[in-house]
Amino acid sequence: MLLHTEDPLKFAFSTTDPERIPELSFGILGVPFDSTTTYVPGTRFGPLAVREASYSFESYNLRFSGEPGVKCFDFGDVDVVPGNFQRTAEFIGDSIGGVLDLGLKPITLGGEHTVTLPVVEELTSRDGAPVVIHLDAHMDMADRYAGERYSHATVMRRVHEIGAEVIQIGVRSASAHEAAFVRENGIICIMAHEVMRNPEAVSEALKGIRDPVYISVDMDVLDPAYAPAVGNPTPCGLTPWVLEDIAEVLSRKEVVGFDVVEVASTGFGDQTSVNAAKIIYDLLTIL
């Protein structure tokens, strides 16, 4: 047995010792899937890049005055079928079910944003639909995109259809049809310029949402200055500081799981994967 080693294929603040599962809170699953990507490819490399970047952080989180400790088991990556979302979704759902059976809450590393759907479906089938906090530059509310029902651009429409209340934060891009659908269905959508002009008001609004909540972070919610390596970079986004504040507010809710998706980093140590790992690091510290 080798001592004093680390495995960058696993998230830094995790374990792979199954005997520790009863004392843990979360289970990490990577989903290296990007078959409906329409602009910048490469989100299949996201789970690896985020895991590697996680080793850049100190064990003490200065912003939140605490340590993430070892709260999660890293199960590795789910098998995917390139080009076949529905078959991949079956694998994701089965895997999430296994995580839940062990009494753990899922953390999903994407991969493109479609991977959120089977996670929320599995949670809903067990305990009813959570409130989905959707942090994204895009509404992802198209009914079909390029003729497809299942796409990174339709994922929140599908989530809405299974009965989950969706609250969107950081949006700054949508089709007219999506914007109309959101208005007509009373979906809360707080646009990026509204967040940046009055972040305190957004934090206050989030305090009033019901439990439980599921958090879905598309990394393009950040401005491309902080997260350029994403599937669809969009200017005028949020800053990491604002995202920290939102995470702090949401940590006071009953969080049943979260995902961080759309990291399209093909190298190591870039700002997108580091910021993605930072979100997970923060949530592990304060949840």
Side-chain angles (χ1 to χ4, degrees):
M1 177 179 180
L2 295 176
L3 301 177
H4 309 298
T5 62
E6 59 188 32
D7 182 359
L9 297 180
K10 304 296 183 183
F11 197 80
F13 304 94
S14 69
T15 182
T16 56
D17 180 359
E19 293 186 1
R20 297 194 63 180
I21 287 177
E23 70 187 67
L24 304 176
S25 301
F26 297 95
I28 293 179
L29 286 170
V31 187
F33 183 76
D34 64 355
S35 289
T36 77
T37 301
T38 52
Y39 185 35
V40 180
T43 52
R44 69 184 66 188
F45 303 116
L48 175 61
V50 173
R51 286 183 172 110
E52 191 279 334
S54 69
Y55 287 87
S56 67
F57 296 105
E58 300 284 356
S59 60
Y60 184 75
N61 188 323
L62 193 60
R63 166 65 174 83
F64 293 111
S65 302
E67 296 190 10
V70 177
K71 296 180 181 178
C72 55
F73 187 97
D74 194 329
F75 292 90
D77 287 349
V78 176
D79 287 334
V80 302
V81 182
N84 190 330
F85 168 73
Q86 289 171 294
R87 187 69 179 129
T88 297
E90 292 176 12
F91 293 158
I92 297 171
D94 288 345
S95 300
I96 293 296
V99 170
L100 296 173
D101 288 342
L102 291 169
L104 303 176
K105 301 174 184 179
I107 300 173
T108 309
L109 308 180
E112 63 171 64
H113 212 158
T114 52
V115 306
T116 299
L117 177 59
V119 180
V120 177
E121 286 178 329
E122 186 65 25
L123 290 167
T124 300
S125 71
R126 293 177 177 238
D127 299 306
V131 175
V132 176
I133 307 300
H134 173 217
L135 294 144
D136 200 323
H138 309 87
M139 286 184 173
D140 293 349
M141 283 284 183
D143 186 37
R144 291 181 180 272
Y145 191 85
E148 298 293 328
R149 277 180 53 79
Y150 298 103
S151 164
H152 68 92
T154 69
V155 60
M156 286 300 149
R157 181 71 165 261
R158 305 286 86 86
V159 167
H160 174 77
E161 289 172 349
I162 63 177
E165 178 184 354
V166 178
I167 297 175
Q168 303 190 305
I169 301 172
V171 171
R172 51 198 185 274
S173 177
S175 69
H177 291 295
E178 289 176 285
F181 180 83
V182 165
R183 286 195 304 271
E184 292 164 4
N185 287 273
I187 295 169
I188 296 173
C189 181
I190 307 173
M191 295 181 63
H193 70 273
E194 296 173 311
V195 178
M196 294 305 296
R197 287 174 181 170
N198 196 351
E200 293 81 9
V202 175
S203 294
E204 284 300 315
L206 288 175
K207 292 177 183 177
I209 61 176
R210 65 176 178 85
D211 291 318
V213 302
Y214 179 85
I215 305 168
S216 182
V217 183
D218 184 324
M219 285 302 295
D220 69 23
V221 73
L222 292 179
D223 190 86
Y226 308 105
V230 294
N232 285 275
T234 306
C236 302
L238 306 191
T239 68
W241 296 277
V242 168
L243 206 51
E244 279 186 340
D245 291 341
I246 291 172
E248 194 276 330
V249 172
L250 293 176
S251 73
R252 304 173 204 169
K253 313 301 293 185
E254 179 192 350
V255 177
V256 294
F258 63 90
D259 63 58
V260 177
V261 300
E262 293 288 338
V263 175
S265 302
T266 57
F268 293 140
D270 69 293
Q271 63 262 49
T272 306
S273 53
V274 169
N275 273 310
K278 172 68 161 53
I279 295 166
I280 301 167
Y281 168 70
D282 286 344
L283 288 172
L284 287 177
T285 301
I286 57 184
L287 287 178

